[in-house]
Amino acid sequence: MNKDTGPYVCGLDAAMDVVGGKWKALILWALHHDGTLRFGQLKREVPGVSEKMLIQQLRELEADGIVHREVYREVPPRVEYSLTEMGEALNTALGPLGDWASRHMEQILAAKQRAVA
């Protein structure tokens, strides 16, 4: 472990720690695309995610400083999620990765199909 980078080997290692998993990038995209969202809205924007998993992923993104959680003390309580400045920067950094995947999606799918066969 390096004292400057902590437990990470390099910047990519740290980035993957923050966005790793199936749902975090989709949560980032939804918050970037749609802006501030309530939990139910966010769940609809990330199809297939369970409530438990969405809560867990949002808590991790909040702990990493990527997502801001605003609780409004009203009845019934209202909670809204938005990207922090660091979250917006991360989403911008992920753009080229998404572009790469879009350009190579057919090849990616074909390789996965060959691996299964």
Side-chain angles (χ1 to χ4, degrees):
M1 182 164 35
N2 182 320
K3 68 178 183 171
D4 296 330
T5 61
Y8 302 115
V9 175
C10 64
L12 188 56
D13 187 18
M16 293 309 296
D17 185 38
V18 172
V19 296
K22 179 177 181 177
W23 305 110
K24 288 182 181 177
L26 297 175
I27 292 167
L28 286 172
W29 181 86
L31 289 173
H32 174 76
H33 185 263
D34 297 322
T36 300
L37 294 172
R38 293 176 70 171
F39 183 84
Q41 295 169 308
L42 191 51
K43 188 166 184 330
R44 284 189 294 278
E45 291 298 317
V46 184
V49 68
S50 70
E51 190 168 313
K52 178 182 175 184
M53 182 58 69
L54 183 56
I55 290 167
Q56 177 185 334
Q57 300 293 279
L58 285 167
R59 283 182 181 154
E60 290 176 14
L61 288 166
E62 183 183 8
D64 288 335
I66 303 301
V67 167
H68 172 71
R69 179 178 186 261
E70 184 73 34
V71 179
Y72 295 90
R73 304 286 179 206
E74 39 189 62
V75 178
R78 178 171 49 114
V79 179
E80 294 180 339
Y81 297 90
S82 60
L83 292 178
T84 63
E85 187 176 315
M86 195 163 75
E88 287 288 356
L90 176 59
N91 199 62
T92 299
L94 290 172
L97 182 60
D99 294 341
W100 173 87
S102 293
R103 285 191 310 273
H104 296 92
M105 196 169 304
E106 287 182 24
Q107 294 162 298
I108 294 167
L109 291 171
K112 288 194 175 296
Q113 289 171 348
R114 284 192 306 275
V116 171

